[in-house]
């Protein structure tokens, strides 16, 4: 409050100086004031300000030759028309008249002076500083205007402590919606927040991610540029170049030449110009001088439809101009009202008598000189802006209508404080020429924008409405076919730092801007998610992707299925082997007491056949999806079964050697072997050793079903984990050792009687066993795919078949095909022949 008091005291001193040195010699036009029961103030830029050096504080006198502002004139007349219509209405404010005090605010000082005049009390024309501001009753109840954001912010700050309603028709800056700072500010033009969001959507619609951004040095331009930069960068748009034009800029000066050079070097096809009309004209005059053509210019609402800009010589060559414009509206009767004003006898300006308080800048000599043939033309941009001023007047009238209780048919006159009227204006909701007038929570209007494009037909300029922008949320609706682009074949110009990468290529940023990048393909096993174009993401464990992929694919789960052709062949071979083993067991049981069966080991043959059958049964575990029982049993059971067979084979060969070669030479050893059941003991110990190895293997290196992902990028291998374990290697080495032992014993018995000589068949079968496993391990070293279990099974099947074929098939042949050799006499003859040969040796 103290700060506000100090400001107002200082400003009152300024008024005193102003009046002493300038105001007393001014004149005023009668159309700037209108008496009434309740007064409104209107702040309009009837003239353009000029920069000058001041040596003392004074208010700029606006009515100067060559400074007339046609746009401000139409706003001025729109307010006068609105007040006249309301006073002539019998429904809105019956038996109450509105008056006005209009001011020409061509400069900051003129704007401050007009604002303080608004706050001054009737009669003494000064501002009283009092504690209870709610009962402060200034000259006017509400203010319409001013136009620029700078002026509106100043006026709103001065009026807010007194809660005097201020309704701007053109100040669109988002900061003015902060109610804590500007509680009495309203407006009939959309908030720049929506304009910025609309511009960003426009850039996104055409894929423009590399833009230049230029703004004016006033609050409108600077705040707009800042908001646009923040929102654009948040949506992935990069600012190639950004600059603010100084308020003192002139076309062709060094500062503007430098701006043009940097704009050309930025290599951005799209340039967004967020500026007021005055500096926008300076900017485009500089653009034409620099011959900066072939670009897309995006216009802010302040100059998108301004003839002040389209009148720049040579501007039709600069490229395509798109813009955001306030919705096209018409003030009914405004043109006729202005024509009537031009024809009317307005009288001479009234002098300000010496010693009286006068209102500076309430004079427009050029306006008084208008005739029906020489008057400003009312164009689309000025008409839309004039409608916002016209709408503001009606908003005040409707608020006053509610406050005075005029709904009953007669208004109750009485003192009205500004804050009372402000409360009612907040609540207004009415139709004005089919347009709903109301305010949202931020005291902004519920409105929309038009999206426009400039059209040139030779030297004549017009504009095309492409669509609209509505909120909230902000949505863009554009008919792109209406746009005539400046490029060849009417193609949409591109404005990107780097072209989009091919599918599956990630962006690697090469500078400060994420829009400038190189394209690098995603590696195998990774993909590029559209939500993050700068990082390749790994596929899931169950997925795969080739190099440069935009998506991942499910891996194929593979295992040796039962229904495959390979499986059918192996199953058939294994089943045949199992049937042969069972058949041989039955054959041997039937001929158990024959010499061939007794020489083959007698009842030991059934253990050997059973061990081979167990090994054959374990091979079924290689088919189908691996399960825990199958993984636990298939290799271990095969290893144990083959161990028993090899142990029996070894001890059988060893026992024949003892009988024929060492029984007479080393009788003690022979008797000890027979008495202590050496053959059975050896088989038990050997089998127990392998059983211990297998149990340790199953406990310590437990074979389990697993999904293997590393070997093949496109496959998931279902397998057991035994192949890479130490237990598997130990079990295999143990069987290898037994095979060598069996081979050695068989070889030592190569000169035994023919009926007992098994060296050739056993040697062949063991050699085939070695070759089978060498082939398997060689295959496993170079191939690790789906059919590796089939190779493992083939090696096992070969081992079992060679063992069966090398040992049992010759005996089956003798039993079935040569019964004459399966006699006691034949065996005795063979032994006697062996004895004679040994004796002669």
């Amino acid at each position: 409050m103290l700060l506000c008091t100090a400001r107002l005291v200082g400003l009152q001193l300024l008024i005193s100086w102003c009046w002493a040195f300038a105001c007393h010699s001014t004149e005023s036009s009668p159309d700037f004031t209108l008496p009434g029961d309740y007064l409104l103030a209107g702040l309009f830029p009837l003239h353009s300000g000029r920069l000058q050096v001041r040596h003392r504080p004074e208010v700029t006198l606006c009515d100067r030759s060559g400074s007339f502002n046609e746009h401000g004139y139409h706003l001025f007349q729109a307010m006068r028309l609105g007040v006249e219509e309301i006073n002539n209405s019998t429904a809105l404010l019956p038996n109450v008249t509105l008056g006005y005090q209009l001011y020409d605010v061509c400069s900051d000082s003129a704007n401050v002076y007009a604002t303080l005049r608004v706050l001054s009390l009737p009669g003494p024309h000064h501002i009283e500083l009092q504690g209870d501001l709610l009962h402060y009753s200034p000259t006017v109840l509400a203010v319409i205007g001013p136009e620029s954001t700078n002026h509106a912010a100043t006026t709103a700050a001065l009026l807010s402590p007194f809660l005097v309603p201020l309704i701007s028709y053109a100040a669109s800056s988002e900061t003015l919606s902060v109610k804590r700072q500007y509680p009495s500010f309203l407006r009939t033009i959309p908030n720049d927040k929506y304009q910025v969001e609309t511009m960003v959507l426009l850039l996104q619609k055409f894929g423009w991610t590399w833009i230049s951004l230029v703004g004016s040095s006033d609050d409108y331009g600077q705040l707009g540029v800042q908001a646009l930069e923040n929102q654009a960068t948040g949506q992935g748009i990069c600012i190639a170049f950004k600059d603010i034009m100084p308020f003192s800029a002139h076309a062709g000066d060094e500062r503007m030449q430098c701006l043009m050079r940097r704009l050309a070097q930025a290599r951005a096809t799209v340039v967004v110009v967020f500026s007021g009309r005055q500096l926008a004209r300076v900017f485009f005059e500089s653009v034409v001088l620099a011959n900066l053509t072939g670009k897309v210019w995006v216009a802010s609402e302040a100059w998108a439809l301004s003839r002040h800009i389209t009148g720049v010589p040579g501007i039709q060559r600069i490229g395509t101009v798109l813009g955001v414009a306030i919705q096209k509206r018409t003030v009914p009767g405004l043109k006729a009202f202005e024509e009537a004003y031009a024809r009317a006898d307005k009288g001479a300006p009234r002098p300000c008598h010496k010693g009286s308080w006068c209102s500076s800048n309430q004079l427009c000599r050029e306006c008084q000189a208008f005739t029906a043939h020489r008057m400003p033309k009312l164009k689309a941009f000025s008409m839309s802006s004039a409608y916002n001023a016209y709408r503001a007047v009606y908003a005040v009238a409707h608020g006053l209508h509610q406050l005075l209780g005029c709904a009953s048919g007669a208004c109750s006159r009485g003192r009205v404080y500004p804050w009372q009227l402000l409360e009612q204006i907040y609540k207004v909701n009415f139709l004005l020429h089919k347009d709903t007038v109301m305010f949202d929570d931020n005291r902004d209007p519920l409105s929309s924008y038009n999206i426009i494009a400039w059209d040139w037909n030779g030297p004549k300029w017009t504009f095309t409405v492409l669509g609209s922008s509505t909120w909230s949320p902000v949505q863009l609706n554009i008919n792109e076919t209406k746009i005539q682009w400046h490029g060849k074949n009417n193609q949409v110009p591109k404005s990107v730092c780097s072209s989009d990468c091919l599918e599956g290529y990630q962006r690697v940023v090469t500078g400060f801007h994420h829009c400038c990048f190189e394209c690098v393909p995603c590696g195998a096993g990774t993909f590029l998610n559209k939500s993050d174009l700068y990082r390749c993401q790994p596929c899931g464990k169950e997925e795969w992707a080739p190099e440069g992929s935009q998506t991942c694919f499910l891996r194929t789960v593979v295992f040796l299925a039962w229904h495959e052709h390979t499986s059918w062949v192996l199953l058939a071979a294994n089943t045949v082997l199992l049937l042969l083993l069972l058949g041989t067991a039955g054959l041997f049981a039937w001929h158990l007491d024959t010499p061939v069966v007794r020489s083959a080991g007698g009842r030991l043959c059934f253990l050997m056949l059973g061990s081979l059958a167990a090994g054959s049964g374990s091979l079924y575990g290689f088919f189908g999806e691996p399960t825990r029982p199958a993984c636990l049993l298939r290799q271990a059971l095969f290893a144990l079964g083959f161990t028993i067979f090899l142990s029996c084979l070894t001890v059988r060969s060893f026992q024949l050697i003892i009988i024929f070669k060492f029984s007479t030479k080393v009788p003690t050893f022979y008797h000890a072997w027979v008495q202590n059941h050496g053959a059975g003991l050896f088989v038990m110990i050997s089998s127990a050793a392998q059983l211990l190895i297998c149990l340790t293997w199953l406990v310590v290196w437990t074979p389990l079903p697993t999904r293997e992902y590393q070997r093949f990028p496109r496959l998931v291998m279902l397998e057991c984990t035994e192949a890479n374990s130490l237990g598997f290697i130990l079990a295999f080495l143990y069987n290898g050792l037994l095979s060598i032992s069996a081979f050695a014993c068989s070889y030592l018995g190569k000169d035994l009687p023919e009926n007992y000589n098994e060296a050739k068949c056993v040697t062949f079968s063991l050699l085939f066993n070695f070759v089978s496993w060498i082939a398997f391990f060689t295959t496993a070293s170079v191939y690790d795919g789906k059919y590796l279990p089939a190779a493992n099974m083939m090696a096992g099947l070969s081992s079992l078949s060679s063992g069966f074929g090398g040992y049992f098939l010759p005996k089956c042949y003798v039993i079935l095909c040569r019964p004459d050799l399966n006699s006691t006499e034949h065996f005795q003859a063979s032994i006697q022949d062996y004895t004679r040969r040994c004796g002669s040796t």
Side-chain angles (χ1 to χ4, degrees), residues 499-805:
S499 297
D500 287 342
C501 297
L502 297 174
E503 290 186 357
Y505 282 66
Q506 68 173 333
R507 300 177 178 183
V508 178
V509 177
T510 56
F512 297 106
H513 297 283
H514 65 84
C515 299
C516 303
F517 50 81
E518 293 179 350
C519 297
V520 177
C522 290
T526 63
F527 73 103
L528 190 68
N529 193 329
K530 289 183 179 179
S531 62
D532 185 2
L533 299 176
Y534 297 88
R535 185 172 62 89
C536 296
Q537 299 181 10
C539 295
K541 290 183 67 176
E542 302 290 329
E543 299 173 323
W544 73 280
E547 184 180 89
S549 178
Q550 201 174 14
T551 186
C552 290
F553 306 94
L554 285 176
R555 290 191 182 199
T556 303
V557 178
V558 295
F559 53 89
L560 190 61
W562 293 90
H563 56 79
E564 295 188 35
H565 296 300
T566 303
S567 300
W568 291 350
V569 173
L570 294 173
L571 281 168
N574 193 48
T575 303
V576 169
L577 174 62
L578 196 58
L579 292 174
L580 287 174
L581 291 172
L582 293 174
T584 302
L587 182 65
F588 275 41
W590 184 260
H591 298 87
L592 183 62
D593 295 328
T594 62
V596 171
V597 175
R598 289 201 305 270
S599 67
R603 298 184 184 278
L604 187 65
C605 292
F606 297 109
L607 178 61
M608 296 174 70
L609 289 169
S611 64
L612 290 176
S616 177
S618 71
L619 296 182
Y620 289 105
F622 285 92
F623 298 101
E625 184 174 345
T627 61
R628 187 183 181 93
C631 289
L632 288 171
L633 293 177
R634 68 183 190 182
Q635 292 283 18
L637 183 59
F638 175 83
L640 183 60
F642 203 54
T643 295
I644 295 172
F645 171 76
L646 290 174
S647 300
C648 292
L649 186 63
T650 301
V651 78
R652 167 71 174 71
S653 300
F654 182 71
Q655 193 161 302
L656 288 174
I657 293 171
I658 292 175
I659 292 172
F660 285 99
K661 291 190 175 184
F662 298 106
S663 59
T664 56
K665 296 179 181 180
V666 191
T668 307
F669 175 77
Y670 173 75
H671 290 297
W673 175 267
V674 173
Q675 290 177 356
N676 294 305
H677 306 286
L681 192 61
F682 176 81
V683 172
M684 289 180 59
I685 293 174
S686 176
S687 301
Q690 181 68 293
L691 178 63
L692 180 62
I693 291 173
C694 290
L695 290 176
T696 305
W697 171 16
L698 297 181
V699 172
V700 179
W701 302 285
T702 308
L704 296 172
T706 184
R707 301 172 77 87
E708 205 287 322
Y709 299 96
Q710 301 303 319
R711 295 200 295 269
F712 301 98
R714 302 186 184 189
L715 305 178
V716 178
M717 304 291 297
L718 299 188
E719 59 186 20
C720 297
T721 57
E722 73 272 345
N724 56 355
S725 66
L726 182 60
F728 173 77
I729 297 172
L730 290 175
F732 178 80
L733 289 177
Y734 186 80
N735 279 341
L737 182 62
L738 281 177
S739 298
I740 294 172
S741 301
F743 179 82
C745 291
S746 296
Y747 185 78
L748 288 174
K750 66 181 183 298
D751 56 347
L752 293 179
E754 183 179 351
N755 296 44
Y756 297 93
N757 188 350
E758 299 163 346
K760 291 181 181 180
C761 292
V762 172
T763 300
F764 175 78
S765 66
L766 291 177
L767 284 176
F768 195 78
N769 174 52
F770 292 146
V771 170
S772 298
W773 286 106
I774 290 171
F776 166 70
F777 284 110
T778 303
T779 302
S781 66
V782 296
Y783 174 75
D784 204 11
K786 171 183 177 181
Y787 293 103
L788 188 61
N792 193 342
M793 183 184 174
M794 287 179 65
L797 188 59
S798 299
S799 298
L800 297 174
S801 300
S802 63
F804 170 76

Side-chain angles (χ1 to χ4, degrees), residues 287-326:
V287 168
V288 173
L289 285 174
N291 196 29
L292 200 60
T293 60
K295 293 189 178 294
V296 177
W297 310 90
V298 179
S300 64
E301 160 275 322
W303 66 270
L305 297 179
S306 175
R307 293 275 184 173
H308 189 60
I309 312 301
T310 60
V312 174
I315 196 170
Q316 62 266 34
R317 299 190 302 272
I318 63 173
T320 303
V321 178
L322 303 179
V324 178
I326 56 177

Side-chain angles (χ1 to χ4, degrees), residues 19 23-24 125 351-359:
W19 175 81
C23 295
H24 68 276
H125 298 290
C352 177
H353 299 290
K354 188 174 182 181
S356 68
W357 281 84
C358 66
S359 297

Side-chain angles (χ1 to χ4, degrees), residues 46 51 226 318 700:
L46 279 169
L51 298 174
Q226 180 182 349
I318 63 173
V700 179

Side-chain angles (χ1 to χ4, degrees), residues 341-419:
Y341 175 80
R343 292 192 299 267
D345 181 11
K346 293 171 280 295
R350 299 176 301 192
C352 177
H353 299 290
K354 188 174 182 181
S356 68
W357 281 84
C358 66
S359 297
S360 178
N361 294 328
Q362 288 186 306
L363 177 65
C364 180
R365 289 189 178 88
E366 193 166 349
C367 301
Q368 293 178 319
F370 289 149
T371 66
H373 303 289
R374 192 182 67 83
M375 59 179 291
K377 291 184 179 180
L378 186 57
K379 300 183 179 68
F381 177 69
S382 294
M383 177 63 86
S384 296
S385 297
Y387 178 80
N388 285 337
Y390 177 78
R391 181 161 56 171
V393 174
Y394 268 91
V396 174
H398 276 269
L400 198 58
H401 175 91
Q402 295 296 328
L403 186 61
L404 299 178
C406 301
S408 61
C411 302
S412 59
R413 298 187 186 186
R415 172 168 288 191
V416 173
Y417 293 105
W419 64 269

